[in-house]
Structures are given as C-alpha cells and as structure tokens.
Amino acid sequence: MTDTKTAVHSAWSSRFAFILAATGSAVGLGNIWKFPYITGENGGGAFVLVYLLCVLVIGIPIMIAETMLGRHSQKNPIDAMAYLTKEAQADSNWHYLGWMGVIAGLLILSYYSVIAGWATAYVLKAFTGSFYVDNPAEIKTLFDDFVASPVQLIFWHTLFMLATMLIVVRGVNNGLEKAVQYLMPVLFFLMLLLVGYAMTTGSYFQGLHFLFSPDFSKLTANAVLTAMGHAFFTLSLGMGAIMVYGSYLPKDVSIAKTAVLIAGADTVVALLAGIAIFPIVFANNLHPDSGPGLIFQTLPIAFGSMSGGWLVGILFFVMLVVAALTSSISLIEPAVAWLVESKGFTRERACVWSGLATWALGLGTVLSFNAWSEVKFFERTIFQLLDYLTANLMLPIGGFCIAIFAGWMMQQKHSIAELAMPNDLSYQVWKLLISYVAPAAVFFVFLHVIGVL
Ligand code: PFF
C-alpha cells in the first residue's frame, strides 16, 4: 500500500492486493470455528442452505455496495457516510451508520480475540503434543479445563490483541498482503488434507448428509436469523470493514468481479471446514451441537490419528491464528482510520486506545466461559449476547442500511460510474438486488423473528 492523494489516506498497490486483504478479512474464525458449530447447533442442511442463499442474494450485492461506497468516498466509514450523505443530499442521520459500524467492529473484536486466543494456545498444545490422547473424552476434558481458567484465557487474549495492534500500528498493508498470499494456499491445502482424513473415518457420508440434506423441520426463525447474520459475519459486511478496504482500492478495478471472487473463496473454505469436521463428530459419537468448543474437541482427534498428524496439527493452528489476525485487523481498522483521519491521532495512539478498550471488553467474554458462566442477560452469557447483538442484529441492520443507501439514496450516475459493469443488464440485476431483494430479505427475516410473520 502506498500513500496517495492525501497524506493520511492510503491505497492498495493493486487489485490483487485488495483481493488478498479483503479475502483475509473474510476468511477467519467465522469460516473454520463458527460455521461448523452454528451449523451443528441449528440442525445442519436446512441451515446451510439458508446461509448459502443469503450469501448469494444478500451478501454479494451488499459486498459490491459497501466496496463501492468506500471507494467513491475515499474515506473511513464515519467520514465516508458523512460525505456520501451530503453528496446525496440525504438526511444527516445517515451518518450514524458509520458510527454503528465502528462500534460493531470493536464489539466483535472483543470476543473474536478471546477465541483467537484459544487457537493460539492450541498452537502450543500442538507443539508439546499435549492433546494427543487416544480418547475423545479426554480431548474434551482438556478443552473444558482450559476454558475454565480465566488466567490462561486472559493471557492468550492479551497476546492476540497485542499482535493485532502491532500489525495495525504499521498500517494494514505492510506484511499483510504477503501473509495472506501464502496463507490462503496453505490453509486450503490443509483443509483438503482434513477432508481426506474425514473420508477415512467411516462416517464421511453421514457428515455430508448432515450438511447437505435439508430437514426444514429443524429450521426455527432464530436459525434463519443466525444463518443470515452469519452471511454478514463471514463476509465481513455491514460494519465498514469492507468499506474502509474499498476506500483504498484503485479506481480502475472491477468491484463486482472482485466481490464474487472473494465471496466464492470464503464460502469454499467454510464448506470444507464443515465437510472435514462433521464426519469426525459422528465417527467419535460426539455431539454436533457441542457449541464453540466443537473444532477444539474434534480436530485434535484427526491430528492424533493421521500419520504426520503432529505437523498438520501445528500448521493448522498456526494458519488459523494467521487467518484470525488478517480478520481482526479489519475489525479495528475502521476505528483506527477514523481516529487518525478525523481526530488527528497518530496511528500509534489510535491503536493503543482502541486496542485497550477492546481488550478490556474482551474480559467479559473470557469470564463468561468460567467465573461468570451463570451471569445471563436475556438468557445469554456475555459472549452469547455480544455475538447475537453484533452478528444477528448490528451487521444485518448495517447491511440493510447500506443496501438502502446504495440503492435509493446515492445518485445513479455515481453508482454506474463506480461499478463500471460490462453491460447494462448486470448493473440492473445488481440494482434490483440491492434496492429490493436484499433489504426485503433482511426485513422479512426480522419480522419472522419477532413473530409478526
Ligand atoms: N469475516 C471474519 C470471519 O469470518 O472470521 C470476521 C469479521 C471480520 C467480521 C471483519 C466482520 C468484519 F468486519
């Protein structure tokens, strides 16, 4: 990334750099940790189908819109929304959208960092071989003992937050482009290896059946909301992360093609994770609805029983941490970019303040797995509440507003010029999806959840 135009606002060196960074943001814990466990909790196939549909008709159009708003404004989400609102002569309340995004990013990072801390701890466990026990029950006990210790969780959460801040201080490009460039192929290869292992478990088809044969009787209104929320979460949409990355994107790049590519890669990684994990779950009589610990209780079984598994295990958890890092920096970047560009903070100060606030908030999530596991709000622990609030409410609401803004508020001449679609038909399809289909879908899911429909 090189500085252009203004002293503080940066730009990607190429389309490829943007693809790498945005894919790095999209592919993370959401694909490998969250997708399998929420699929397990929500009954499998029907949930997966709704998620895929949401990626297609809501996620991709909104990803195009969010990138476009970022590039058109060349600003961080808060200043971008203020600028775009003025340009469109829209109601000034629209600029709160930028604020909601920045806050959502910090809230997500507060628990994201705790879970990424687990993955970091598992790198060490993979090195020392401490989880290579034969018995799945012992692997579960190991995990349960680990999350029962606030001291350990705080240590790993702190370490991960420090790593995130160190990268963000240097600017999102230095090192990031390269990290993602190597990460993606290695991660992909490891996922294939795990799928290969899953084929040998004897429960491969049971796993596939669970993932891909929809049983709509298992689909509650909340499951639909979770699937839709996850489409936003996994594609990093609805909070300005993709907007801020889009603002660094050179003008001559096709936004639509790029968005399809990123969404495609993201979805493939998630599906591979599911295909790898569920056969292991069934072969070992584990429960698909084991919750956030699912991958930590299943994958060590695979590493323990495949030949050379110790190396695969180390590589896997290292890759998971790197994938989490390339996402976490995009969660904090909107806040940092705003503090720097609008409030005159140095990058260092901006990182320290937003990092500290996020770290402190993360302690709530740490304790929700042990000392405060009985502290509930609306029947949810702090972690569950933060996850629900951000992924199921804030991101879809943010995405809904982005769709309405891009479809109805922004002048058509600007969206046509930014998107520069190869033909009028593709522009019209996008316009239809962003103006009607995506917002209506989000709206209906909400109505369904509150019981109006
Ligand atoms: N997309 C990331 C993942 O799947 O792990 C998480 C995430 C990053 C969500 C950035 C939202 C965001 F803005």
Side-chain angles (χ1 to χ4, degrees):
M1 196 160 61
T2 47
D3 279 354
T4 56
K5 296 183 186 74
T6 63
V8 280
H9 205 77
S10 334
W12 300 112
S13 48
S14 66
R15 165 169 186 254
F16 190 53
F18 170 79
I19 293 183
L20 287 177
T23 312
S25 167
V27 175
L29 296 175
N31 308 61
I32 296 167
W33 159 75
K34 193 174 180 192
F35 172 71
Y37 96 74
I38 56 175
T39 300
E41 283 180 340
N42 290 287
F47 176 86
V48 174
L49 195 68
V50 176
Y51 151 74
L52 291 175
L53 258 176
C54 289
V55 167
L56 207 65
V57 298
I58 307 176
I60 293 178
I62 292 184
M63 185 177 258
I64 294 174
E66 204 176 319
T67 315
M68 173 187 84
L69 295 182
R71 187 170 70 180
H72 185 64
S73 63
Q74 298 275 303
K75 291 178 172 50
N76 66 76
I78 291 182
D79 293 335
M81 284 319 297
Y83 167 86
L84 293 166
T85 303
K86 234 191 217 145
E87 183 191 72
Q89 296 176 337
D91 189 287
S92 67
N93 282 321
W94 276 102
H95 83 274
Y96 289 116
L97 186 54
W99 277 102
M100 188 171 76
V102 166
I103 293 168
L106 298 182
L107 290 178
I108 295 176
L109 183 56
S110 79
Y111 66 82
Y112 202 84
S113 164
V114 175
I115 311 294
W118 298 0
T120 320
Y122 268 65
V123 172
L124 186 69
K125 290 189 201 299
F127 258 111
T128 58
S130 63
F131 58 46
Y132 295 132
V133 283
D134 297 329
N135 182 347
E138 269 180 66
I139 294 179
K140 179 172 169 5
T141 311
L142 193 89
F143 174 78
D144 291 342
D145 289 348
F146 169 62
V147 292
S149 158
V151 176
Q152 289 201 52
L153 297 200
I154 291 173
F155 174 79
W156 294 106
H157 163 55
T158 309
L159 198 70
F160 185 83
M161 264 321 289
L162 277 175
T164 302
M165 284 156 65
L166 270 178
I167 301 176
V168 177
V169 159
R170 301 177 57 207
V172 285
N173 72 313
N174 293 331
L176 169 66
E177 292 179 14
K178 283 218 174 56
V180 182
Q181 198 168 345
Y182 295 114
L183 162 83
M184 286 301 150
V186 179
L187 190 65
F188 192 71
F189 176 71
L190 289 178
M191 301 308 300
L192 287 182
L193 259 185
L194 284 171
V195 169
Y197 170 79
M199 287 179 178
T200 68
T201 57
S203 298
Y204 184 61
F205 290 103
Q206 199 183 346
L208 286 188
H209 182 80
F210 180 76
L211 270 175
F212 296 116
S213 103
D215 173 357
F216 288 99
S217 67
K218 294 196 177 137
L219 204 59
T220 61
N222 247 313
V224 174
L225 177 65
T226 306
M228 180 181 77
H230 188 64
F232 283 97
F233 184 89
T234 192
L235 296 174
S236 306
L237 296 178
M239 55 140 281
I242 291 297
M243 200 185 288
V244 83
Y245 278 9
S247 75
Y248 305 143
L249 184 64
K251 285 284 181 193
D252 54 348
V253 171
S254 157
I255 291 180
K257 262 196 238 154
T258 313
V260 171
L261 210 79
I262 296 166
D266 185 79
T267 309
V268 168
V269 175
L271 292 179
L272 284 179
I275 297 172
I277 283 159
F278 286 105
I280 304 177
V281 169
F282 294 120
N284 292 282
N285 292 323
L286 300 169
H287 302 288
D289 58 353
S290 303
L294 188 66
I295 65 162
F296 297 95
Q297 295 164 7
T298 48
L299 293 181
I301 301 175
F303 303 138
S305 40
M306 55 165 83
S307 61
W310 61 274
L311 183 62
V312 180
I314 295 172
L315 275 178
F316 175 83
F317 283 112
V318 169
M319 288 302 128
L320 188 58
V321 173
V322 181
L325 270 173
T326 57
S327 301
S328 65
I329 55 182
S330 73
L331 284 162
I332 205 170
E333 178 66 15
V336 170
W338 174 70
L339 286 172
V340 171
E341 291 173 13
S342 219
K343 292 285 147 203
F345 278 45
T346 59
R347 235 185 132 79
E348 290 77 13
R349 248 185 93 209
C351 285
V352 168
W353 282 113
S354 31
L356 259 182
T358 314
W359 175 84
L361 200 68
L363 299 180
T365 292
V366 164
L367 295 174
S368 75
F369 287 101
N370 36 65
W372 292 353
S373 60
E374 292 311 315
V375 178
K376 304 229 166 131
F377 306 89
F378 307 103
E379 293 164 36
R380 291 184 170 84
T381 64
I382 296 177
F383 160 68
Q384 289 166 336
L385 187 75
L386 281 172
D387 178 39
Y388 192 88
L389 181 73
T390 51
N392 291 11
L393 301 180
M394 291 174 92
L395 299 186
I397 292 172
F400 175 86
C401 296
I402 287 169
I404 297 288
F405 193 91
W408 297 92
M409 302 292 154
M410 191 176 193
Q411 287 173 36
Q412 187 142 321
K413 67 172 188 217
H414 292 314
S415 55
I416 291 178
E418 277 300 332
L419 295 182
M421 299 273 205
N423 53 52
D424 191 47
L425 180 68
S426 13
Y427 178 80
Q428 292 306 337
V429 170
W430 171 78
K431 184 86 182 168
L432 180 81
L433 288 170
I434 205 71
S435 312
Y436 298 98
V437 181
V442 176
F443 192 65
F444 280 121
V445 172
F446 278 130
L447 287 185
H448 195 45
V449 169
I450 56 176
V452 176
L453 273 182

